[in-house]
Each structure stands twice: as C-alpha cells, then as structure tokens.
Amino acid sequence: MKDLKEQYIMGAFLDKPKMEKHNAQGQGNGLRYGLSSMQEPEVYEIERSEEEDQFIILACDGIWDVMGNEELCEFVRSRLEVTDDLERVCNEIVDTCLYKGSRDNMSVILICFPNAPKVLPDAVKRETELDKFLESRVEEIIKKQGEGVPDLVHVMRTLQTESIPNLPPGGELASKRSVIEAIYNRLNPYRNDEADSASTDDMW
C-alpha cells in the first residue's frame, strides 16, 4: 500500500441513472474532474495526528445518504485488513452504497496514511470462510426450492433474515451482494434474466 508521502490516492464513482462505474487514479497532481462550475469552498485546517490518523475519505451525498461516518470508517478499516488494493476498496464502497439503496450519483476518494490498517492473515481467513459459507447457503436455498429455481431477490431476502457471522461491519450483507450474485449465477446458469436483473429497490 502506498502512503500519502507518495501522493497516492484512489477513487471510484458511479453515474446514475446510467449506472456506469468508473475508476479514477491520481498520482502526483491528484485527480482532475470536468466541472462545469466552481463554488467557493469552506476550508478548515485541522492538525493531523500521525499516531492516530489512518485515512481520509472524500465522498459525495450518494455515499453519505446511506452510510454514516462511523459505519463507513468501520467498513473501510475492515476492507484494508483483507486487501491493500485501494481501487478494490473504493469499488466495494460504491457497490455497497448502491445495494443499500443510494439514489444519487456516487463518488469516493480514499487517501491512506502510513498508519492505515494493514492486511491481516486472520482477517483474510475470515473473509474466505465467509464467502464459502455464503456459497453453501445459496446452494441450500436453491436446492430447497424444489421445482424451479428461486430468483436472486428471494435468495437475498432469505439471507437477510439469517444471522450470518463475520459480515463486514458497516457494510453487512449489502457489501456481499456482488459475491452472492456471482455465486447465484454460477449455480444457476439458466436463470431468468428478467428476474435476475431486478432493481436494487426490491433487493431487500
């Protein structure tokens, strides 16, 4: 993981209603966006603690509408313990907020300081075990249906009623929706495309 001394930042943003996700990486001069107008910003100067500060999250309303400060910070900490790929972390933030029901455009920039959480073998192991558990549960839900195959909405709603251990704090089941969908698609290659493309409004 590169730290702030190398002026390394990573971001991701999602344009709605087109639902097109983009990745943005800046180094040296940072990120440049095509803004049609500029407003006078409010600037605050805060002394940083090198011992305590771990990262800065810059995000727009589409993120904060569905995740609070503590929720998002806990989620980012948990993700940094399983990967040092900041692009992946930013994408997971955007995906999680989308599946939590955000209706606004979403953009997020994550700046990590040297004291940011590092990848932990135990955390990686828990993440792997969680994904395996979700795979087994999705398979059980599909088999339990009997004739026919339940749609993805049914699978998600069933999992939502269960107490699943080691879900990412702050993100919970919504942060695993992409994983669950990939498992579902693999186990159900002949799924009904219309049911599978259900909107996130109906996901829970």
Side-chain angles (χ1 to χ4, degrees):
M1 181 185 300
K2 299 184 180 181
D3 60 38
L4 192 62
K5 293 180 180 178
E6 296 174 281
Q7 294 181 302
Y8 186 86
I9 58 180
M10 183 60 69
F13 53 99
L14 181 70
D15 294 328
K16 298 182 77 173
K18 292 182 179 180
M19 306 292 283
E20 296 177 352
K21 185 190 293 181
H22 311 274
N23 294 322
Q25 178 175 328
Q27 194 163 359
N29 292 329
L31 300 178
R32 292 181 179 273
Y33 295 100
L35 301 177
S36 58
S37 63
M38 296 295 292
Q39 301 296 324
E40 186 70 23
E42 293 184 8
V43 179
Y44 299 90
E45 183 174 333
I46 301 175
E47 185 175 352
R48 191 170 73 80
S49 170
E50 294 186 4
E51 292 76 21
E52 297 181 1
D53 293 340
Q54 299 178 341
F55 50 79
I56 291 178
I57 303 170
L58 305 176
C60 67
D61 290 346
I63 302 295
W64 302 118
D65 284 347
V66 294
M67 294 188 80
N69 290 342
E70 292 301 323
E71 278 185 306
L72 186 52
C73 286
E74 287 183 6
F75 182 65
V76 169
R77 288 191 191 98
S78 73
R79 299 303 84 201
L80 292 176
E81 289 180 352
V82 299
T83 181
D84 59 4
D85 185 343
L86 300 187
E87 179 179 344
R88 172 182 164 184
V89 175
C90 288
N91 283 333
E92 287 193 29
I93 293 171
V94 171
D95 286 342
T96 298
C97 291
L98 175 64
Y99 301 136
K100 278 178 172 283
S102 179
R103 295 176 177 273
D104 204 345
N105 294 337
M106 289 180 281
S107 60
V108 60
I109 298 173
L110 176 61
I111 305 172
C112 285
F113 297 128
N115 198 36
K118 303 299 188 293
V119 174
L120 301 176
D122 287 347
V124 174
K125 181 181 178 181
R126 287 194 299 270
E127 187 82 359
T128 301
E129 291 174 348
L130 172 59
D131 289 349
K132 289 181 179 179
F133 175 80
L134 290 172
E135 181 172 5
S136 66
R137 283 298 298 126
V138 172
E139 185 174 7
E140 290 171 359
I141 294 170
I142 290 176
K143 289 182 177 179
K144 187 177 180 180
Q145 179 76 8
E147 293 186 6
V149 177
D151 59 28
L152 182 59
V153 173
H154 173 79
V155 172
M156 293 298 298
R157 287 177 174 170
T158 300
L159 292 173
Q160 182 69 12
T161 64
E162 301 177 358
S163 178
I164 300 175
N166 296 324
L167 285 172
E172 305 303 333
L173 189 63
S175 66
K176 283 297 180 178
R177 198 270 190 180
S178 295
V179 173
I180 295 168
E181 183 176 4
I183 295 170
Y184 175 85
N185 290 342
R186 187 173 71 252
L187 296 175
N188 179 30
Y190 305 106
R191 66 191 182 282
N192 184 299
D193 290 336
E194 182 177 352
D196 184 55
S197 61
S199 71
T200 55
D201 295 338
D202 299 327
M203 196 52 61
W204 310 110

